[in-house]
Amino acid sequence: MGLISDEYVRLLGAWPSPFVLRTRIALNLKRVPYEYLEEEDSLNSESVLNYNPVHKQIPILIHGNKPIRESLNIVMYVDETWLSGPPILPSDPFDRAVARFWDVYIDEHCFTSINGVAVAKDEEERKAAIAKLEMCMALLEETFQECSKGRGFFGGDNIGFIDIGFGSMLGPLKVLEKFTGVKFIHPETTPGLFHWVDRFYSHEAVKPVMPDIERLVEFARLKFNTSIFK
């Protein structure tokens, strides 16, 4: 490739990653053309090591020759850089702070609980991780009711920051439901989230990039060599 335009956008990622998915949804919402580069072995990728020498992780958004790292940071960058498409973060400073708080919560508690169920060493540890994940879903149900104000998404009438943060975790969550038999999002216990899932999946910014669940199931079987996935 020759000289890179200052506006040329590339994304280094891997298809199963929920964090890469966040970036792709944000770019689609803003209607930003970009080149997607699949990194099958990101730990040993020369591009990943070059553009993210500190954490050596994907996703990495490259705008011109400037790398932007960490999924939530990238989503905020996309929102602030491209004014096309709907805003991702609210304009009100308090609402922005609330949205950022919940996305950090999703990463620190919900995602870690999903992983906790997958790698649990015994049934007691697995039950504790499941209980924590169920608590996460209950809190997010309350948050949806508060933030959506009766509309379709956490962000109101369109997908917002919390929608992207939590929606990117739906694939791993569905895989976990398949193997544990536990319905973490249920029409009786989490009715708001239950209907939100269908709206999120069918959104034009999400549908083309959401990983196939059966493919994720096979990926989970290979990655987590534990009894839950056998």
Side-chain angles (χ1 to χ4, degrees), residues 17-229:
S17 170
F19 304 103
V20 172
L21 180 61
R22 289 173 174 175
T23 304
R24 302 193 75 178
I25 293 171
L27 289 167
N28 286 352
L29 270 175
K30 293 292 185 173
R31 304 183 185 93
V32 179
Y34 66 97
E35 180 184 6
Y36 176 67
L37 302 169
E38 181 76 16
E39 297 289 342
E40 292 185 5
D41 184 9
S42 60
L43 292 176
N44 296 303
S45 164
E46 184 177 340
S47 296
V48 173
L49 296 176
N50 180 42
Y51 285 111
N52 193 0
V54 177
H55 295 299
K56 304 177 180 64
Q57 293 175 336
I58 51 173
I60 305 168
L61 184 74
I62 308 166
H63 187 194
N65 277 309
K66 300 177 293 186
I68 302 95
R69 311 163 186 97
E70 303 293 330
S71 64
L72 296 179
N73 188 44
I74 294 172
V75 173
M76 288 188 283
Y77 177 85
V78 169
D79 190 38
E80 294 168 2
T81 302
W82 287 281
L83 301 180
S84 54
I88 296 172
L89 278 151
S91 58
D92 179 79
F94 176 77
D95 291 340
R96 289 171 72 91
V98 168
R100 288 194 295 264
F101 170 85
W102 282 111
D103 268 17
V104 172
Y105 174 84
I106 288 161
D107 284 359
E108 292 183 351
H109 296 276
C110 302
F111 182 67
T112 55
S113 295
I114 291 171
N115 273 343
V117 176
V119 302
K121 297 181 181 66
D122 52 45
E123 191 61 26
E124 184 178 347
E125 202 173 289
R126 185 171 296 126
K127 284 181 179 178
I130 287 173
K132 185 177 179 183
L133 188 51
E134 288 175 328
M135 184 184 72
C136 289
M137 296 303 105
L139 283 173
L140 286 172
E141 172 69 19
E142 292 178 12
T143 302
F144 176 77
Q145 301 296 345
E146 292 173 7
C147 293
S148 67
K149 299 179 175 63
R151 291 175 289 180
F153 297 96
F154 284 92
D157 292 323
N158 211 330
I159 285 178
F161 199 57
I162 306 176
D163 296 281
I164 293 174
F166 181 43
S168 64
M169 300 296 165
L170 290 177
L173 196 61
K174 284 178 177 289
V175 170
L176 212 57
E177 288 183 337
K178 190 176 182 69
F179 284 106
T180 62
V182 178
K183 291 296 182 184
F184 295 101
I185 297 179
H186 191 276
E188 293 182 5
T189 55
T190 55
L193 293 181
F194 182 80
H195 295 292
W196 165 83
V197 168
D198 289 336
R199 288 190 292 270
F200 183 80
Y201 262 91
S202 62
H203 195 283
E204 62 180 2
V206 176
K207 196 171 183 178
V209 292
M210 185 64 80
D212 177 72
I213 298 301
E214 291 307 315
R215 193 179 176 198
L216 281 176
V217 166
E218 292 306 311
F219 174 80
R221 282 199 174 104
L222 291 172
K223 182 178 180 180
F224 300 104
N225 188 25
T226 60
S227 59
I228 188 176
F229 293 113

